């Protein structure tokens, strides 16, 4: 396992804004869900649904991943940023473009959607210029770096289809069929978000939970399988195939994350650190949502015959919420309470260690607050999935409000980590140790 070398990492002021802004994307998605109308349960491509999807995947998860890549790349994977200034400009561009992009979906203004989509493509280009060198040399072959390399390519492919779909909505070159929608969506969800999450977890889950007795055994084949399924499956879906082909694609897409989930479970059960902190808990909860996502995804591929109320949209919505908010979102929340406090410790207290008592990383965030965020977010996700599957708009809206509340709490707790002074917690003095305060 690669050890952290945070001295090579970028400044706190560069990374922190990405983590602090990310929950705003979730808050926006939760609010849109809270204001959902009857269309939300009838058509997966209803304007409000597409708006909330992009607020969640691009405003929340992708924003958080940007911060994580800028931090973990140089600090853990041995890469470097081309330019810190470029990363700051990138933050500004992304934070400006995302609300505009989401608004154009909400209004279904296809002309402005084209401009906002171009801004988003610019944001991804700015990111990729820094991200490829940041994840380190692929020739070193570290598993997380290989996953991240593949996921960055998938981001470019997803954005390429996304801007094409935005273009055709405006200029009517061809229709955005349900298959084309699903192809773009899965390239983004599995290819970009899924691969990133899986690669980062290979690095962080063993590191934070002290796994020494076991190692990943199938990381390479799982990567190959997932890339093939996301790319091949995404393209096949764009041809609007029949139910049996859709089911085969869904099974192929589920195989990689499913095998990865078993690997993660194996590693987590072999951990030396017996007491779970928020990151460890989040990993288990997230794996639970992965199982839910896979089950709902397979059912959604079959479609109408197995859909509650014979309404496939309800199944698709529940599947999307389980994957985005449950599997990926909870993993991001758990890791945010490790990445950010570590960065704060490094930049603020490392120099003082040995000179005066300094807090340890665990003193920099409140475990109680972090668990509360995890609990509210998990409950909100379950309520929203239930609302979607039951076809009950009020339950769905309540889930949206809870997700917004969880996002607000998450943001406040992260701001506290970055801004508040931290005191070292009193510790028991062992034999032979001297009290320094
Ligand atoms: C430049 C970047 C992007 C653009 C311009 C874009 C644009 C679009 C457009 C035009 C649609 C179809 C709207 C319709 O006809 O109903 C769509 C759907 C979708 N996109 Fe993107 N997209 C981008 C990036 C992404 C990324 C990175 C992800 C995932 C991580 C993603 C996930 C989705 C999903 C899940 C849907 C389906 C939404 C639904 O059915 O509610 N997109 N996108």
């Amino acid at each position: 396992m690669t050890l952290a070398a945070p001295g090579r990492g970028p400044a706190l002021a560069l990374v922190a804004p990405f983590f602090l802004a990310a929950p705003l994307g979730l808050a926006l998605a939760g609010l849109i869900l809270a204001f959902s109308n009857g269309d939300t349960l009838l058509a997966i491509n209803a304007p409000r649904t597409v708006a909330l999807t992009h607020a969640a995947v691009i405003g929340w998860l992708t924003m958080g991943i940007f911060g994580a890549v800028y931090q973990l790349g140089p600090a853990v994977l041995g890469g470097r940023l081309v330019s810190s200034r470029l990363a700051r400009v990138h933050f500004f561009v992304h934070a400006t473009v995302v609300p505009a992009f989401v608004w154009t979906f909400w209004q279904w203004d296809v002309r402005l959607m084209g401009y906002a989509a171009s801004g988003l493509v610019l944001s991804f280009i700015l990111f990729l210029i820094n991200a490829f060198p940041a994840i380190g040399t692929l020739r070193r072959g570290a598993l997380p770096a290989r996953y991240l390399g593949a996921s960055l390519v998938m981001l470019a492919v997803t954005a390429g289809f996304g801007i094409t779909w935005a273009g055709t909505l405006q200029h009517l070159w061809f229709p955005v069929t349900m298959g084309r929608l699903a192809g773009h969506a899965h390239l983004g969800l599995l290819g970009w978000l899924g691969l990133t999450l899986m690669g980062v977890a290979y690095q962080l889950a063993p590191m934070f939970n002290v796994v020494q007795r076991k190692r990943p055994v199938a990381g390479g084949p799982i990567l190959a399988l997932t890339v093939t399924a996301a790319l091949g499956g995404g393209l096949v879906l764009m041809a609007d195939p029949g139910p049996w082909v859709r089911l085969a694609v869904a099974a192929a897409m589920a195989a990689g994350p499913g095998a990865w989930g078993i690997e993660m479970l194996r590693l987590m059960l072999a951990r030396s650190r017996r007491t779970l902190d928020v990151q460890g808990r989040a990993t288990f909860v997230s794996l639970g949502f992965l199982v839910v996502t896979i089950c709902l995804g397979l059912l959604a591929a079959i479609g109408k015959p197995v859909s509650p109320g014979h309404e496939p949209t309800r199944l698709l919505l529940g599947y999307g919420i389980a994957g985005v908010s449950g599997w990926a979102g909870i993993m991001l929340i758990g890791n945010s309470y490790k990445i950010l406090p570590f960065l704060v410790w490094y930049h603020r207290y490392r120099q003082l260690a040995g000179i005066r008592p300094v807090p340890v990383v665990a003193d920099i965030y409140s475990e109680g607050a972090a668990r509360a965020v995890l609990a509210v977010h998990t409950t909100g996700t379950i309520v929203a999935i239930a609302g979607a599957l039951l076809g009950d708009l009020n339950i769905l809206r309540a889930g949206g409000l809870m997700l917004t509340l969880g996002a607000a709490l998450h943001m406040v707790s992260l701001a506290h980590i970055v801004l508040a002074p931290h005191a070292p917690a009193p510790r028991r003095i062992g034999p032979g140790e001297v009290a320094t305060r």
Side-chain angles (χ1 to χ4, degrees):
M1 189 197 352
T2 326
L3 290 176
R8 297 164 50 91
L12 173 63
L14 189 156
V15 173
F18 288 94
F19 278 96
L20 294 180
L24 288 174
L26 173 61
L28 180 59
L31 275 181
I32 299 175
L33 199 58
F35 283 95
S36 47
N37 56 22
D39 290 353
T40 312
L41 295 167
L42 291 178
I44 198 65
N45 58 351
R48 288 180 190 201
T49 310
V50 185
L52 88 85
T53 307
H54 286 89
V57 294
I58 296 178
W60 174 39
L61 297 178
T62 298
M63 182 72 104
I65 291 172
F66 286 158
V69 169
Y70 285 148
Q71 160 61 12
L72 296 174
V76 178
L77 301 175
R80 61 177 181 82
L81 296 185
V82 171
S83 157
S84 296
R85 184 176 296 174
L86 186 66
R88 287 178 218 273
V89 172
H90 168 229
F91 173 76
F92 177 77
V93 171
H94 197 74
T96 314
V97 166
V98 168
F101 188 55
V102 171
W103 187 82
T104 63
F105 275 129
W106 171 276
Q107 293 290 319
W108 208 255
D109 184 329
V110 290
R111 196 179 58 86
L112 292 183
M113 197 188 291
Y115 292 122
S118 309
L120 206 52
V121 169
L122 172 67
S123 164
F124 290 144
I125 292 171
L126 296 180
F127 169 64
L128 291 175
I129 292 172
N130 258 326
F132 275 111
I135 60 168
T137 46
L138 291 178
R139 65 176 175 275
R140 267 195 233 162
L143 203 51
R146 279 193 277 148
Y147 272 77
L148 284 171
S151 81
L152 295 180
V153 174
M154 290 299 208
L155 174 62
V157 175
T158 308
F161 280 111
I163 185 93
T164 311
W165 289 185
T168 193
L169 286 174
Q170 184 183 354
H171 300 291
L172 304 176
W173 301 317
F174 51 81
V176 180
T177 59
M178 288 308 284
R180 288 182 182 137
L181 185 78
H184 161 74
H186 284 86
L187 282 166
L189 297 174
L190 182 60
W192 160 235
L193 296 178
L195 281 175
T196 307
L197 166 77
M198 289 155 73
V200 169
Y202 270 124
Q203 179 70 36
L204 298 189
M207 195 162 95
F208 292 138
N209 296 283
V210 195
V211 181
Q212 287 156 336
R213 287 180 286 135
K214 286 222 160 67
R215 295 184 158 272
V217 289
I222 291 174
L223 172 62
L225 181 61
T226 312
V227 169
T228 311
L231 198 56
L235 295 177
V236 170
L237 286 179
M238 285 185 196
D240 289 283
W244 289 110
V245 177
R246 279 207 313 267
L247 188 58
V249 168
M253 285 184 169
W260 167 87
I262 294 169
E263 284 244 279
M264 278 299 127
L265 204 56
R266 217 182 113 258
L267 293 174
M268 288 298 287
L269 293 178
R271 71 191 188 280
S272 305
R273 182 186 188 143
R274 294 322 299 167
T275 319
L276 285 177
D277 62 11
V278 66
Q279 195 272 350
R281 281 166 193 253
T283 303
F284 280 112
V285 178
S286 161
L287 289 177
F289 277 108
L290 173 61
V291 176
V292 177
T293 307
I294 289 177
C295 293
L296 292 180
L298 291 171
L299 290 174
I302 299 171
K304 205 168 180 171
V306 292
S307 303
H310 290 284
E311 184 41 78
T313 303
R314 283 160 51 177
L315 210 44
L316 285 170
L317 198 58
Y319 158 66
I321 297 169
V324 170
S325 183
W327 177 40
I330 289 177
M331 205 62 123
L332 177 72
I333 291 174
N335 283 316
S336 71
Y337 288 110
K338 288 289 177 184
I339 297 175
L340 211 51
F342 188 62
L343 199 58
V344 168
W345 182 88
Y346 187 82
H347 284 280
R348 216 170 279 164
Y349 301 109
R350 178 189 49 115
Q351 307 273 6
L352 301 171
I355 301 172
R356 69 172 176 78
V358 293
V360 295
V361 172
D363 300 330
I364 291 179
Y365 76 96
S366 156
E367 185 68 28
R371 282 186 195 177
V373 170
L374 185 61
V376 174
H377 181 85
T378 303
T379 312
T381 305
I382 292 170
V383 171
I385 295 171
L389 295 181
L390 295 170
D392 187 318
L393 214 46
N394 288 328
I395 299 180
L396 189 66
R397 288 173 179 155
L401 278 181
M402 292 182 81
L403 290 174
T404 303
L405 175 67
L409 292 175
H410 189 206
M411 199 176 74
V412 171
S413 70
L414 293 184
H416 187 263
I417 289 171
V418 176
L419 303 173
H422 312 97
R427 286 195 168 70
R428 222 184 300 154
I429 298 178
E433 287 181 341
V434 180
T436 51
R437 70 192 140 107

